[in-house]
Amino acid sequence: MPKPYQRALCWVRRDLRLYDHRPLAEACAQANEVALVFILDTQILSQLKDQDDRRITFIVDSLQEMDDRLRQQGSGLIVLHGDPVDLIPDLAERFQADAVFTGKDYEPLAKARDAEVKKRLSHSGKQLQLFKDQVIFEAGEILNQSGQPFRVFTPYSKVWKTNLNPTRDAADWTPNLEVLTPIDEWKEEWSLEKIGFRRNDLWLTPGEAAGRKRLADFSDQMSDYAKTRDFPAQSGTSGLSVHLRFGTVSIRDCVRCALDQRADKWLTELVWREFYQDILAHNPNVVSETYQEPYRNLEYPGTEDHWVAWCEGKTGFPIVDAAMRCFNATGWMHNRLRMIVASFLTKDLLLDYRKGEAYFARFLLDFDLASNNGGWQWAASTGVDAQPYFRIFNPILQSHKFDPEGRFLRAWLPELKELSNDDIHWPHEVKEFDLLAAGIALGDNYPHPIVNHSVQRDLAVKLLESARRS
């Protein structure tokens, strides 16, 4: 049977891999000749504040791996630098492509971009083919009995799991690469330096091979995930969030693995990711305002000094400081620690969650708009399935519970390393002699606590109660 298209482009975006890649598989199945293109989007890059942004290092290295593999197939990866709204229609014209295949992106700006690209392609008789690829279920597929989107995670998760048909929803879309065409005449230089960035160190290896290896390694300990996931000093999490964000691992492959290992707790974490995507797709306003209407006029009374102390890991609360210093150095933060520092910023320091959300958006290697916004609004009690406003994390108790031996604290707060496993969580009540013996001078080489947790907790409850009543 003849294929419907002679030539097609596959526009790679949040799917930096060649296996289990639905848009590429569809393009290869429907066109006689296919070329892959990635756009280093200046509309996005111009918003980045740091020339050594780790995400660009990860992307460029992953693209290089793709290009190397494609060249073994006699093809290659076209990488262009500019605005995709202009570049995709132009390349489609020069390549004489009948259609452009790509994965759906659910962020508001991405949907507007795709609508414009589709319009421009249609002017010259070309098609934009969009395929679900970065999620198992997209917005509109998981609804309550009234046909409405879920507002709470637990019932959403139950329906998600009930509706899951692994053969259909987690099918392997690995493409036939034999139809890929040579691309030398469209090749351009795309080094980090060429696009105005510098290399930065990463805490993990980029690329598809590394993503698949990490998933395979994690599968051996997936059954222990429920018991180990909350302890930042242990290797109890998958470390796959970056690979999922950039598509160097397939969400379908992750789900297949979770089902094979009967790792329901980890599968639930993957469902959380889709829940936040669903919320963003149905409520794009959450990008700028609270999901819960009563909090939209809430004024946070926190101070700039406290904001700076939080950012620098100088609050005097060891678990908060260790988490922030680790984050600043690596661009990564354990999920339990994300909840602790977010609760501390919004409930102890009484600062607007949007400040913390923006700080994470700037430095997180695995930054994802939906998950970052959803997580911060959960911590601030302003979002869906929100942490009740009166439930506030005690950072000292959290530290004792989830880093009982102080291993994570010692790794990032070396000034406290000589304290006992008990004292390291709260050095401010340690006897002066013991502090001197450990080489600690509070207020000098480790700060005094910038707030009183009990006092701030009461203030936070009153602040949020007042907003709910107004």
Side-chain angles (χ1 to χ4, degrees), residues 326-387:
C326 173
F327 177 58
N328 291 334
T330 66
W332 176 83
M333 189 181 291
H334 186 281
N335 190 58
R336 169 58 56 175
L337 299 178
R338 296 187 197 203
M339 292 189 284
I340 293 171
V341 302
S343 176
F344 188 82
L345 182 78
T346 57
K347 306 291 180 63
D348 284 75
L349 301 186
L350 305 181
L351 284 159
D352 194 326
Y353 75 88
R354 280 164 284 225
K355 291 174 72 69
E357 181 188 357
Y359 192 79
F360 273 31
R362 178 177 177 180
F363 294 112
L364 268 179
L365 182 55
D366 63 0
F367 168 69
D368 175 88
L369 175 60
S371 294
N372 192 49
N373 178 270
W376 272 96
Q377 292 224 37
W378 180 89
S381 299
T382 63
V384 292
D385 205 49
Q387 176 189 11

Side-chain angles (χ1 to χ4, degrees), residues 50 65 124 150 161 177 179 186 201 216 226 240-241 247 286 294 310 315 326 351 376 408 410 419 431 463:
D50 306 292
E65 182 193 63
S124 55
F150 282 97
K161 291 177 180 179
L177 301 181
V179 301
W186 294 282
D201 294 332
L240 284 164
S241 58
V286 298
W310 180 87
T315 68
C326 173
L351 284 159
W376 272 96
F408 180 78
R410 288 187 175 86
L419 290 175
K431 294 179 180 179
L463 179 70

Side-chain angles (χ1 to χ4, degrees), residues 414-426:
E415 63 269 39
L416 303 183
K417 66 180 180 180
E418 298 301 328
L419 290 175
S420 70
N421 291 349
D422 187 56
D423 290 342
I424 195 170
H425 302 283
W426 194 242

